[in-house]
Amino acid sequence: MLFIRKEMNFFALLDALQTKNGLIELALGLLCVIAAYALARRLYRYWFAHHPERYDQFLPYTGFRLVLPVSAQVLVVLASFTWGRVEHAPMLVLHILSALLFWLAVIRLCTAVVRQAFPHSRFERHSEHFLATALWLGFVSWTIGFDVAVMDWLESISFHVGKTRLDLLTILNGLLWVTVIVVVALWASRLIEARIMKLKHLDSNLRIVFAKLTRTGLVVAAVLVALPVVGIDLTVLSVFGGAVGIGLGFGLQKIASNFVSGFIILLDHSIRIGDRLMVDNRVGYVTKMTSRYVVLKGADGTEALIPNDALISNTVINQSYSDRNMWTSLPVQVAYGTDLDLALSLLKQASDHPRVLKNPGANAFVTLFADSGINLELGFWVADPENGFMGLKSDINLAIWRLFKQHNIEIPFPQREVRIVGDKPAQQG
């Protein structure tokens, strides 16, 4: 009888703990919880310790969270049944402990849903802790009979909006229902989004568009369902239409612009995940696209958040728009008197590298007759620019150095000859 309130009175529990049978029940309950905790730790070491990616999977994570309360409750029920056969007396302490474990299971199930609904971040941990604390406080207040006093106090705080009387209990109840329905909608949208992102036959941009539309639609539907449940007439929302329009025209204009620009970028396929972009002299690869910004990760590991509106209104150089291959070059200088045909041939030979494309092949050019020597340039196409250029250029420069050394080709350095004109020898006295 898990929810018979008169049997779960706080003062009755205190009276039970003053007896020998009550203390024995408490000891049995603690042993059951310790055994369940040991089982949960063993499962953690076997299933999660070396596989942290399973924390992101809903069913394994939920099952792990439920191991402790469910196994402890099974042991408590067995202990209660066994002790009842021995003493033939009501088991109040084990009964209340069973209720506590039941609510622990409910709390962990709800936090698993919240974890799945929200992104993995610091906000997720705060929301999970808040939900667990709120549910436990609610159960404790219900156990000791404190909830009646709290509800009477909340109902006493009231005010009027027009002809409608609102009290604090109604507002909190409405917020609770809206939160629950929106969290369920976010959880469902995340499951659907995960399924959509696995559809490899669809274009990556289309998958992102469908995922974002699904999430937005479910959240809007959740709010429209939650408001009537609370008792708010949807026709009242038409009053706020003008205010929302003014807000979008002033304060929310930039946010709305970024949101719409994000969908335009996704639908016209101008930018995709993995593209190499140059925005305001910053070069990087697109690693994430959201409804507000695009994440551009540079070669040094830093990440820039570029607003979607900036990508629409400004010039953006997409270096991998139609072809992911990229051209780059290396300048080299040789001394005057060098066999240029041989030097150009050696430059092409030095470009023989696994990352350099064979077709189109590398080419070498004479670019300038400079002061200290003749400037040459080796140009080639790279198949994987996302792996960077520094290591590749270093390998090719070393190959050029070795080949020039073997063929006695000099790489000049600036030299200056200074002559003093009109200098007279010193007169001897």
Side-chain angles (χ1 to χ4, degrees):
M1 300 296 99
L2 193 60
F3 298 106
I4 298 180
R5 180 167 180 167
K6 63 182 180 180
E7 295 182 4
M8 298 185 64
N9 187 272
F10 180 70
F11 300 101
L13 175 62
L14 291 180
D15 293 337
L17 290 176
Q18 304 298 321
T19 65
K20 177 183 176 181
N21 287 343
L23 293 176
I24 293 176
E25 289 179 44
L26 179 62
L28 288 175
L30 291 177
L31 288 176
C32 293
V33 172
I34 292 172
Y37 177 78
L39 176 62
R41 292 302 301 173
R42 180 179 293 270
L43 179 65
Y44 167 78
R45 288 192 296 267
Y46 176 76
W47 193 254
F48 284 92
H50 303 293
H51 301 280
E53 71 278 359
R54 288 176 178 165
Y55 279 107
D56 297 330
Q57 301 171 3
F58 178 67
L59 290 179
Y61 177 76
T62 305
F64 171 68
R65 293 284 288 168
L66 294 178
V67 167
L68 173 60
V70 172
S71 58
Q73 189 163 22
V74 170
L75 293 174
V76 167
V77 170
L78 291 176
S80 178
F81 176 77
T82 305
W83 184 246
R85 296 291 295 270
V86 173
E87 287 293 325
H88 302 286
M91 262 68 60
L92 179 62
V93 177
L94 291 176
H95 182 73
I96 293 179
L97 181 58
S98 178
L100 289 171
L101 292 171
F102 170 80
W103 277 103
L104 180 60
V106 172
I107 287 171
R108 292 198 168 190
L109 180 62
C110 292
T111 53
V113 172
V114 171
R115 187 177 186 274
Q116 189 73 12
F118 290 100
H120 297 167
S121 62
R122 185 175 178 84
F123 175 73
E124 172 210 350
R125 293 194 298 272
H126 283 294
S127 61
E128 185 173 345
H129 296 164
F130 172 78
L131 179 60
T133 304
L135 290 176
W136 269 99
L137 289 176
F139 176 73
V140 170
S141 66
W142 177 83
T143 302
I144 65 177
F146 189 64
D147 59 325
V148 176
V150 172
M151 289 184 180
D152 291 340
W153 176 71
L154 292 176
E155 287 180 344
S156 66
I157 304 175
S158 62
F159 55 92
H160 287 81
V161 178
K163 296 182 179 181
T164 305
R165 179 182 177 275
L166 294 177
D167 55 66
L168 192 56
L169 179 61
T170 302
I171 295 174
L172 293 178
N173 185 46
L175 290 175
L176 176 63
W177 276 106
V178 171
T179 302
V180 169
I181 295 176
V182 170
V183 166
V184 172
L186 288 174
W187 172 69
S189 68
R190 189 157 186 181
L191 291 180
I192 296 173
E193 181 179 348
R195 292 294 184 92
I196 292 175
M197 297 306 291
K198 291 179 181 179
L199 301 177
K200 300 301 183 183
H201 61 279
L202 286 179
D203 183 77
S204 60
N205 283 25
L206 285 179
R207 279 180 275 165
I208 296 174
V209 169
F210 289 149
K212 292 185 182 302
L213 288 176
T214 301
R215 177 171 289 243
T216 303
L218 284 176
V219 171
V220 172
V223 173
L224 295 179
V225 169
L227 292 179
V229 170
V230 176
I232 299 177
D233 190 359
L234 292 179
T235 57
V236 178
L237 296 179
S238 60
V239 177
F240 300 98
V244 172
I246 295 174
L248 289 175
F250 291 97
L252 302 179
Q253 181 181 7
K254 208 67 177 177
I255 297 177
S257 176
N258 285 323
F259 187 79
V260 174
S261 299
F263 278 100
I264 293 175
I265 291 172
L266 291 171
L267 290 174
D268 66 7
H269 300 87
S270 57
I271 297 174
R272 296 180 177 86
I273 299 292
D275 280 357
R276 180 184 173 94
L277 304 183
M278 178 182 288
V279 182
D280 294 334
N281 295 324
R282 180 180 181 86
V283 178
Y285 289 90
V286 178
T287 57
K288 186 178 181 181
M289 301 175 69
T290 70
S291 56
R292 191 176 66 85
Y293 57 83
V294 168
V295 179
L296 199 65
K297 187 171 185 178
D300 56 355
T302 58
E303 294 178 320
L305 307 182
I306 311 296
N308 293 327
D309 179 67
L311 299 176
I312 292 291
S313 58
N314 299 326
T315 301
V316 177
I317 300 176
N318 190 337
Q319 298 177 344
S320 55
Y321 180 70
S322 58
D323 189 355
R324 305 192 69 84
N325 300 331
M326 190 170 176
W327 169 271
T328 188
S329 60
L330 285 174
V332 181
Q333 192 175 68
V334 296
Y336 282 99
T338 301
D339 186 346
L340 293 181
D341 293 328
L342 176 60
L344 295 175
S345 175
L346 293 177
L347 288 178
K348 293 180 184 178
Q349 184 179 341
S351 67
D352 187 12
H353 193 277
R355 294 182 55 193
V356 176
L357 289 176
K358 306 301 181 186
N359 185 22
N363 210 344
F365 307 92
V366 178
T367 58
L368 183 66
F369 295 102
D371 295 337
S372 302
I374 303 174
N375 291 349
L376 309 180
E377 191 161 342
L378 172 64
F380 48 89
W381 288 92
V382 181
D384 54 347
E386 63 274 7
N387 292 326
F389 292 93
M390 187 170 293
L392 174 62
K393 290 185 176 181
S394 175
D395 292 343
I396 296 178
N397 276 328
L398 285 174
I400 293 172
W401 175 263
R402 294 188 185 105
L403 288 173
F404 278 13
K405 241 181 139 180
Q406 291 176 10
H407 294 82
N408 298 320
I409 294 179
E410 180 185 354
I411 298 178
F413 54 88
Q415 299 183 40
R416 295 291 183 269
E417 182 178 335
V418 179
R419 295 182 181 181
I420 301 176
V421 179
D423 188 20
K424 298 181 179 179
Q427 296 180 356
Q428 297 181 353

